[in-house]
Amino acid sequence: MDARCTNVMPPPLLSRGMVQVVSAAEHIDQAVAELASGRPVVMPTETVYGLAVSTFDVSAIRRVYELKGRPQNNPLIAHVGSVADVWPLIDGTHPLVEPLADACWPGPLTLVLPAAPTVPLEAIGGRPTIAVRVPNHPIAQALLTAFPGPLSAPSANRSGLVSPTTAEHVAHDYMDIDGAEDLLVLDGGPCDAGIESTVLDLTCDPPRILRLGSVSSTTISEVVGPIAEIAVPNQQANAPGTAQRHYAPRIPVQVHSPTSLKHDLSDAIDLVVVIGPTDLSVAAPHLHLQIPDDVTLASRMLYRLIRQADQSGADRLAIVLPPAETKWAAIRDRLVRASAPPMQ
Ligand code: AMP
Ligand code: MG
């Protein structure tokens, strides 16, 4: 028998009363006024939605940490309009910034560099470095043009959970959260990339990837030569936000190969929702959320599928990992983290 359904639609939002989801293009001025008053604004980027405040507004930065429930030592990425806006944020210069900017900006590559002494420690998790990038989204760009200064913006999810790739995801996550009343969410449609930026540390030699993302190590190596990549994705000391469990839904998650999934489902007495390739056979009553075979499309849909799985009513989520090939590395990384046991 066929699986009961394929792509489950998320349930309607209970309320949008607590947060204001607005059409982005018409509300740039309102967003700038909110930011100028020290209130966070949710902005779409090409990666995921971000919870933005001025990098130099320390109390607004503190508010972002509170709203997200983010650990204080996990620094924020500063978003800037162009490479020229990077220099005031960093201490000195770096010869690889311009070539990387030429190759990858605007786009989902974040560079970690020594922070200028003027950058508040609150914005960088008390570290001596700052992460910067130029986002490739017309609304983020419009906001950065209209607002004087960089915008620090972590992903707009509650800490540890799945990043939002639509305005509805943000509204859903902040609906019942104290302090999110009247939070302005600029709806810029679904995010194009759908997973977070690649984070590249330029403070070491050779440069090192701290977080995998849609800019591949191959693209970066073509510009900078050899690079190091963190193989085990839980090295908290270097990238505090890369805790092993991350991007996780609320229901339990296991990762599988197609064969181990078959065994698992044949013995299952509970209801399982499966995220796996289109050609997978998943028999009812279990549910099958199909992930596209194309990496770009799969990235775009990944978090939406994980959220749908969470809301599907199933007892647990089984994910079939894509092949261990470089092009799938960032997606595999997210799925492995989503299935990691909760930290003690
Ligand atoms: P998010 O805000 O959810 O996109 O996460 C931002 C990521 O960038 C986290 O993994 C942070 O730990 C990492 N990050 C931000 N600033 C720095 C920094 N100065 N040094 C190392 N990693 C950073
Ligand atoms: Mg995040």
Side-chain angles (χ1 to χ4, degrees):
M1 208 190 309
D2 283 344
R4 196 164 60 177
C5 66
T6 51
N7 289 341
V8 181
M9 291 301 292
L13 293 168
L14 297 175
S15 158
R16 290 187 172 188
M18 296 281 281
V19 300
Q20 302 176 58
V21 179
V22 296
S23 160
E26 290 124 49
H27 291 82
I28 298 295
D29 290 349
Q30 189 185 344
V32 169
E34 293 284 301
L35 292 167
S37 311
R39 284 190 292 271
V41 167
V42 176
M43 69 169 177
T45 79
E46 81 280 27
T47 58
V48 300
Y49 275 70
L51 191 56
V53 289
S54 165
T55 301
F56 293 101
D57 186 338
V58 171
S59 58
I61 297 265
R62 289 202 183 106
R63 212 157 144 46
V64 163
Y65 278 88
E66 276 165 28
L67 267 177
K68 269 187 70 89
R70 185 171 176 108
Q72 296 289 333
N73 68 343
N74 188 357
L76 309 179
I77 295 174
H79 295 71
V80 293
S82 74
V83 68
D85 302 327
V86 170
W87 308 122
L89 294 177
I90 71 169
D91 196 14
T93 57
H94 195 291
L96 292 177
V97 172
E98 292 276 6
L100 283 165
D102 284 347
C104 302
W105 282 353
L109 176 66
T110 295
L111 303 178
V112 174
L113 291 151
T118 45
V119 175
L121 282 175
E122 286 80 356
I124 49 180
R127 299 174 80 78
T129 54
I130 183 164
V132 283
R133 85 174 185 100
V134 177
N136 186 15
H137 191 290
I139 297 303
Q141 284 281 346
L143 211 49
L144 286 164
T145 302
F147 185 76
L151 294 175
S152 289
S155 53
N157 52 291
R158 302 269 296 152
S159 189
L161 301 178
V162 185
S163 297
T165 56
T166 67
E168 285 75 19
H169 292 167
V170 181
H172 181 269
D173 290 1
Y174 284 93
M175 208 156 49
D176 297 323
I177 301 300
D178 280 348
E181 301 85 3
D182 300 327
L183 176 65
L184 187 69
V185 180
L186 297 176
D187 187 350
C191 299
D192 202 39
I195 59 172
E196 298 82 353
S197 58
T198 304
V199 178
L200 182 69
D201 188 355
L202 289 182
T203 67
C204 47
D205 193 14
R208 182 175 40 172
I209 291 185
L210 300 180
R211 178 174 73 185
L212 297 167
S214 38
V215 174
S216 71
S217 51
T218 316
T219 302
I220 295 170
S221 298
E222 278 165 12
V223 180
V224 310
I227 52 169
E229 200 175 290
I230 286 187
V232 183
N234 61 354
Q235 298 191 3
Q236 284 273 359
N238 293 316
T242 56
Q244 191 168 6
R245 182 175 165 92
H246 222 91
Y247 319 110
R250 294 176 202 277
I251 56 171
V253 189
Q254 295 99 33
V255 289
H256 279 286
S257 67
T259 312
S260 68
L261 177 76
K262 206 170 162 185
H263 292 307
D264 182 9
L265 291 185
S266 66
D267 297 339
I269 49 169
D270 52 359
L271 183 62
V272 183
V273 56
V274 177
I275 294 179
T278 45
D279 60 2
L280 205 65
S281 154
V282 178
H286 305 302
L287 313 173
H288 181 193
L289 301 180
Q290 299 179 359
I291 190 154
D293 299 331
D294 173 82
V295 177
T296 305
L297 295 178
S299 303
R300 200 173 289 158
M301 287 190 66
L302 183 69
Y303 291 148
R304 197 171 353 142
L305 293 177
I306 293 179
R307 283 170 178 266
Q308 286 177 5
D310 219 6
Q311 294 165 6
S312 66
D315 298 304
R316 60 189 171 92
L317 167 60
I319 298 175
V320 177
L321 279 184
E325 296 167 8
T326 312
K327 66 177 182 178
W328 288 104
I331 290 186
R332 285 175 60 94
D333 167 77
R334 301 305 189 268
L335 295 176
V336 168
R337 289 174 202 272
S339 64
M343 281 180 299
Q344 298 304 307

